Amino acid sequence: MVIKFPDKSKALKGLYCLAPFETAMIDEWGKVYVCGCDAWLPTPVGNINDEPIDVILNNALSKQIRSSIIDHSYTFCNEKSCKLIKNNELLSKSQLGKEYADIDNWKHKTSSDSLKRIFLAGDRTCNLSCPSCRTHVIKYHPSVGRDQTSKRDQLVDRFIKNLFSSPNSKLEEIVMSTSGELFASEVLLQVLEQANLENFPRCKLHIQTNGLLMKDRWDRLGQWKDRVGTVNLTADACDKEVYEKLRRGGRYDVLLENLQWFKEKKTNDNINFIMKMVVQRDNIHQIEDFYEFGKRYGANEVHYCRITDWKVMAPETFANVDILSDRHPDFEKANGILDAFKSKGYQDAKFIG
C-alpha cells in the first residue's frame, strides 16, 4: 500500500536524504523499504519472498520515492516521525560529497548500484516481552519438531540467497535486529554464520540489542565477531524497579553484568557504543540519570526517542504512557524536564524522534 504525505518542497528545498539511494530494510514478513525505519517512510516497495532485491530496488515505486527526494517534495516521508526532518539533519548538496555531485540526475539510478546499508528484521524472537512491543516472549522452540526447523531453515536460505549471495564491495553496514533480539534468534545467527565475509570487504555489523545475552553468546557471531562496528543497546532505565517494569522479563543484575563486560570489550575492539532510552511516563524522570548511567559504562552516545505505538497496548493504555504527546495531562511537565536536560548541551546526547 502506497502512503503519501503533504508536499514539503518549500520547507525542504535544497535538502537531501540519502537513505532511499543507499538503504534497504527488510521486515519479518519480507517487505522491503528504502529507509531504515518504516515509521518514517511507511510505503513498502516490494517483498523478497516474491522478487530478488535488485529487481525490487529498481522498480517504479522505488524510483518514485528517490524522485521525491530529488525534487524535495518528500511526499513518501512522514515529517512527524522522521528524525532527520524533525532534527534538521537533512544534507545540503555541498555536504553530499563527490559521489553524489550529480544526484539530481539519479531519478532512474538503481538503488542496488549504491546499496550501503541493510536493516534486517527477519525474526521477532526475543528474550523479553516489553509491554509496548509484545504481550509475551516470542521464542523458537527446537522441541516443536521438524516443521518449525524447516521453516527456520527456509528463512535463512531466503535471506542468504536474496541479500548475501552476491559480492558487494560498497556495502558498509548490516543492522540486526530491528524487530527482535539478535542473540536470541537462531535465524539471524545462522544468517551471519552463512553470509560470506569475503563478499563484503568493507561491511561492519551494527547490533541492536537489549544486551542481556551479549556476554554468553558473543561467540555465536562467528566470523562477524571481529567486524562489529556499533552496538546500540536499549535499556530504558537505570534502576532495578523501573528497568524490570519496562523491560519485562529482564533482570537488572544481568544487565549490569553484561554492561561491565562490554565496557572493556568495546574499548579493546574499538566498538561504537550507544545506550538508548525509549521515553515514556515511567522513566521521564530518569532522563539525566540515564545519560550518566550510559557514560559510566562507556557509551559513546546516549539516545532518546519517544515511545512508539506498535498497536500492542490498548489505545487508552498507550495514551497514558505516551507522556510526550501534547494531549497527555503531564505533557508540559515532561517537556520541561526534556528542555532542562537539552539545555545542558551534551553533544553526545541525541534525540532521535
Side-chain angles (χ1 to χ4, degrees):
M1 180 175 66
V2 175
I3 302 172
K4 301 291 284 288
F5 298 91
D7 186 309
K8 295 174 271 293
S9 53
K10 288 186 179 179
L12 303 180
K13 183 178 180 180
L15 297 176
Y16 297 84
C17 173
L18 297 181
F21 302 93
E22 299 182 342
T23 300
M25 188 194 87
I26 297 89
D27 73 10
E28 58 264 38
W29 297 282
K31 289 186 289 187
V32 179
Y33 300 80
V34 288
C35 177
C37 180
D38 57 354
W40 302 352
L41 199 163
T43 296
V45 295
N47 193 303
I48 62 167
N49 293 309
D50 304 323
E51 297 177 295
I53 189 70
D54 288 351
V55 172
I56 294 170
L57 296 179
N58 194 34
N59 66 23
L61 183 53
S62 296
K63 291 177 180 178
Q64 286 177 37
I65 292 174
R66 291 195 287 274
S67 291
S68 76
I69 305 299
I70 292 169
D71 67 21
H72 312 295
S73 64
Y74 286 82
T75 49
F76 293 90
C77 302
N78 186 346
E79 67 277 10
K80 293 182 179 180
S81 60
C82 173
K83 88 172 185 79
L84 300 182
I85 295 175
K86 289 178 70 174
N87 294 344
N88 299 313
E89 295 177 10
L90 297 174
L91 303 174
S92 67
K93 196 168 185 179
S94 63
Q95 294 175 296
L96 298 181
K98 294 180 181 179
E99 183 180 355
Y100 295 96
D102 62 341
I103 191 171
D104 292 332
N105 299 315
W106 282 23
K107 291 183 180 181
H108 301 296
K109 187 178 179 69
T110 63
S111 182
S112 55
D113 289 343
S114 54
L115 186 62
K116 293 183 178 180
R117 194 164 293 104
I118 295 174
F119 289 77
L120 186 57
D123 185 9
R124 298 192 70 225
T125 299
C126 188
N127 52 315
L128 300 182
S129 61
C130 301
S132 64
C133 181
R134 59 196 70 201
T135 59
H136 61 281
V137 170
I138 297 174
K139 185 177 181 181
Y140 167 72
H141 293 281
S143 60
V144 168
R146 194 173 300 170
D147 287 347
Q148 189 167 11
T149 300
S150 176
K151 289 178 182 177
R152 183 199 67 195
D153 292 344
Q154 288 172 14
L155 273 173
V156 173
D157 187 59
R158 184 173 71 229
F159 288 135
I160 292 295
K161 284 184 176 178
N162 279 289
L163 300 173
F164 303 117
S165 61
S166 301
N168 182 344
S169 61
K170 292 185 177 181
L171 190 65
E172 296 178 356
E173 188 174 55
I174 297 171
V175 184
M176 293 183 176
S177 162
T178 58
S179 65
E181 171 57 41
L182 170 60
F183 291 105
S185 171
E186 284 299 320
V187 169
L188 297 182
L189 289 171
Q190 287 199 30
V191 168
L192 290 177
E193 287 174 8
Q194 295 183 34
N196 187 352
L197 271 179
E198 294 180 0
N199 284 340
F200 317 107
R202 299 176 59 192
C203 190
K204 296 283 190 179
L205 180 62
H206 179 142
I207 297 172
Q208 295 186 353
T209 180
N210 58 50
L212 298 175
L213 301 173
M214 286 195 304
K215 180 181 176 184
D216 291 340
R217 300 191 184 179
W218 191 266
D219 285 343
R220 289 294 309 276
L221 299 176
Q223 58 185 339
W224 289 87
K225 66 183 179 182
D226 297 322
R227 286 273 200 104
V228 177
T230 299
V231 168
N232 188 330
L233 190 154
T234 302
D236 288 350
C238 51
D239 69 25
K240 176 181 172 63
E241 180 181 0
V242 179
Y243 174 81
E244 293 187 358
K245 178 179 182 180
L246 299 183
R247 309 299 286 172
R248 189 168 57 200
R251 283 174 43 194
Y252 188 65
D253 60 320
V254 176
L255 173 69
L256 297 185
E257 179 184 346
N258 277 270
L259 286 173
Q260 189 61 47
W261 171 82
F262 187 69
K263 181 179 181 180
E264 181 178 352
K265 183 162 191 62
K266 62 90 58 180
T267 301
N268 293 339
D269 294 357
N270 194 29
I271 299 171
N272 181 43
F273 181 33
I274 298 167
M275 285 269 285
K276 180 179 172 184
M277 170 189 274
V278 178
V279 180
Q280 50 200 290
R281 181 197 60 200
D282 290 317
N283 63 12
I284 185 75
H285 64 286
Q286 290 192 350
I287 280 185
E288 185 162 4
D289 290 342
F290 187 80
Y291 173 80
E292 294 172 356
F293 179 67
K295 299 305 292 183
R296 187 159 67 246
Y297 284 101
N300 300 92
E301 295 181 351
V302 180
H303 289 186
Y304 301 86
C305 69
R306 176 181 166 185
I307 190 171
T308 298
D309 186 5
W310 299 113
K311 308 302 181 185
V312 174
M313 294 177 167
E316 61 274 14
T317 303
F318 182 80
N320 189 37
V321 300
D322 184 19
I323 199 168
L324 293 181
S325 166
D326 56 11
R327 287 183 272 186
H328 195 284
D330 293 326
F331 169 73
E332 293 297 334
K333 180 181 178 182
N335 209 39
I337 293 172
L338 200 58
D339 286 344
F341 177 63
K342 287 181 178 180
S343 71
K344 305 273 186 178
Y346 298 123
Q347 295 301 303
D348 49 2
K350 309 289 184 182
F351 299 87
I352 60 174

